[in-house]
Amino acid sequence: MNKVFFTSLLVMSSYFGFSQNEENISVEKSVFGIQTGLLGIWAHNELKLSNQVALRSEIGFGGLNTSNIKPVVALEPRWYYNLKKRADKNKRIDGNSGNYISLRARYHFHSTKEAERDDLYHVLTVATWGIRRNIGKHFNYEAGVGTGLSFEKDNNKDIDLIPYVAFSIGYRF
């Protein structure tokens, strides 16, 4: 009788233990780091909104080319849609490592004269698909593609459709 009881207890504990892990599959409460790409450097924070959604805020310097790198702020809600699948395959999900879909809003600080002269945009809104992967304990990389709308180009308040490609390497604190 004791063997049956302990065997049942063992089976049930592994079941409940697995259920507990299901609840832990989530984006992290807060992720802070720095990243650099081809044309900029940024400090960012991702704040957990739900198990699969994080709000990324960033501040840094960036631009379209080396002659117009200026201060930039961005806000981006991200939906990490494959965390459970990655965890089921024993792949890392720490540091919000996974695939995501986001809507990125970015503001570039240009003077009006610079915008008129250089044909620059101030606000960029982009629908993005991207990935984040960890390299070791603190390093990571991100890649993303999407399509965006740029506003206030060449001061005529034009709205243009532009392609978006991003790649960055970062350090997570």
Side-chain angles (χ1 to χ4, degrees), residues 1-2 15 51 58 74 77 79 86-87 93 98 100 110-111 116 124 129 133 141 146 149 161 167 170:
M1 184 67 170
N2 284 340
Y15 173 75
N51 285 346
E58 67 183 36
W79 172 45
R86 287 183 59 80
I93 62 170
Y100 63 87
H110 300 291
S111 70
E116 288 174 0
L124 175 68
W129 173 85
R133 298 294 186 264
Y141 68 90
L149 298 174
L161 190 66
F167 181 80

Side-chain angles (χ1 to χ4, degrees), residues 46-107:
E46 286 192 21
L47 184 64
K48 177 181 177 178
L49 298 179
S50 73
N51 285 346
Q52 293 184 325
V53 179
L55 181 62
R56 179 184 176 106
S57 56
E58 67 183 36
I59 186 166
F61 292 94
L64 296 174
N65 56 48
T66 56
S67 66
N68 65 17
I69 292 180
K70 300 287 182 184
V72 176
V73 294
L75 200 59
E76 177 180 16
R78 289 183 171 184
W79 172 45
Y80 289 92
Y81 61 87
N82 74 330
L83 295 178
K84 182 181 178 337
K85 184 177 178 182
R86 287 183 59 80
D88 289 345
K89 292 181 177 182
N90 292 324
K91 294 184 178 181
R92 295 176 63 181
I93 62 170
D94 60 312
N96 297 347
S97 180
N99 298 4
Y100 63 87
I101 295 174
S102 70
L103 185 61
R104 180 178 181 83
R106 189 167 67 181
Y107 181 79

Side-chain angles (χ1 to χ4, degrees), residues 146-166:
T147 302
L149 298 174
S150 65
F151 299 92
E152 295 187 34
K153 193 171 183 179
D154 65 29
N155 212 24
N156 290 329
K157 299 192 190 276
D158 290 338
I159 299 174
D160 293 323
L161 190 66
I162 61 169
Y164 178 79
V165 178

Side-chain angles (χ1 to χ4, degrees), residues 7-74:
T7 304
S8 303
L9 187 61
L10 182 63
V11 169
M12 292 300 282
S13 67
S14 66
Y15 173 75
F16 289 120
F18 182 74
S19 296
Q20 190 69 15
N21 289 338
E22 285 286 320
E23 293 173 6
N24 293 334
I25 298 173
S26 173
V27 296
E28 291 193 15
K29 188 175 181 180
S30 181
V31 175
F32 179 74
I34 57 171
Q35 290 184 324
T36 185
L38 293 175
L39 295 171
I41 186 166
W42 308 271
H44 67 85
N45 183 24
E46 286 192 21
L47 184 64
K48 177 181 177 178
L49 298 179
S50 73
N51 285 346
Q52 293 184 325
V53 179
L55 181 62
R56 179 184 176 106
S57 56
E58 67 183 36
I59 186 166
F61 292 94
L64 296 174
N65 56 48
T66 56
S67 66
N68 65 17
I69 292 180
K70 300 287 182 184
V72 176
V73 294

